[in-house]
Amino acid sequence: MDKSKIPVEQRTALGLLMDDHRAVKKLFKQFEAAKASAEKHKIATETCQKLSVHAQIEEEIFYTALRDVSQKLDDMLDEAKVEHGVAKALIAKIEAGDPDMLDANYKVLTEYVGHHVEEEESELFPAVIKARIDLREVAAQLEARKSELLGEPA
């Protein structure tokens, strides 16, 4: 999805979420290229943190703002919530630290998140755009909450 084609009242919010998606995809590639287990562990830890924060701001703010706009959006949000639950379970396994299962758990997480991102960007975000939902206030809330969760100054 090309950010420049997103309506201005939605661009900041959707752009922030898309930037998160790109950052995690980059980590997935770094993990795949990594050889040393310490490097893989470091990348996995960063990935889990980014995904956890992303899921939390989506659930607390973004999905809440979209709820009850339409049945179609509600159905997509229900599916996304289930997908987040599966991703959180995989994150918990990775964070539990079984080194023998790190590669397997991370690979499944990569595939699962890849599927989730594809659905969000090809189905959910276009539906949000079509519904003409003004996300300017949501964008400010997403940015503030993300900074708070990452321990960054507002």
Side-chain angles (χ1 to χ4, degrees):
M1 174 175 280
D2 181 353
K3 283 195 249 181
S4 69
K5 293 192 167 89
I6 299 171
V8 71
E9 65 272 10
Q10 300 164 327
R11 189 172 301 147
T12 303
L14 297 181
L16 179 143
L17 298 174
M18 289 169 64
D19 289 346
D20 283 355
H21 295 165
R22 302 299 169 271
V24 170
K25 281 183 179 181
K26 188 175 177 183
L27 288 168
F28 290 158
K29 286 181 178 157
Q30 288 175 8
F31 185 92
E32 199 174 298
K35 301 291 182 234
S37 61
E39 184 182 4
K40 285 184 171 191
H41 178 73
K42 181 177 178 277
I43 294 166
T45 299
E46 184 179 352
T47 304
C48 290
Q49 189 227 16
K50 284 187 183 299
L51 286 173
S52 295
V53 168
H54 179 81
Q56 190 168 341
I57 66 172
E58 276 191 335
E59 291 169 9
E60 288 178 3
I61 300 163
F62 185 62
Y63 293 171
T64 301
L66 303 179
R67 190 58 76 180
D68 298 326
V69 169
S70 72
Q71 187 59 50
K72 179 182 176 184
L73 275 175
D74 284 352
D75 290 346
M76 285 190 253
L77 296 173
D78 291 344
E79 184 179 337
K81 187 175 180 182
V82 172
E83 290 174 350
H84 277 196
V86 173
K88 288 176 188 176
L90 287 165
I91 288 167
K93 286 182 179 188
I94 291 167
E95 290 178 335
D98 180 352
D100 295 332
M101 292 301 291
L102 178 62
D103 284 349
N105 285 323
Y106 196 91
K107 181 167 181 58
V108 173
L109 181 67
T110 299
E111 292 169 351
Y112 207 80
V113 169
H115 167 79
H116 176 72
V117 165
E118 175 62 31
E119 282 193 341
E120 269 193 352
E121 292 189 11
S122 68
E123 296 174 27
L124 180 62
F125 292 0
V128 169
I129 291 167
K130 186 176 180 186
R132 297 190 172 155
I133 303 164
D134 189 331
L135 297 175
R136 285 179 278 219
E137 180 59 33
V138 169
Q141 293 172 16
L142 288 169
E143 289 170 340
R145 185 66 171 131
K146 183 176 177 181
S147 292
E148 178 186 346
L149 292 169
L150 292 172
E152 298 169 349

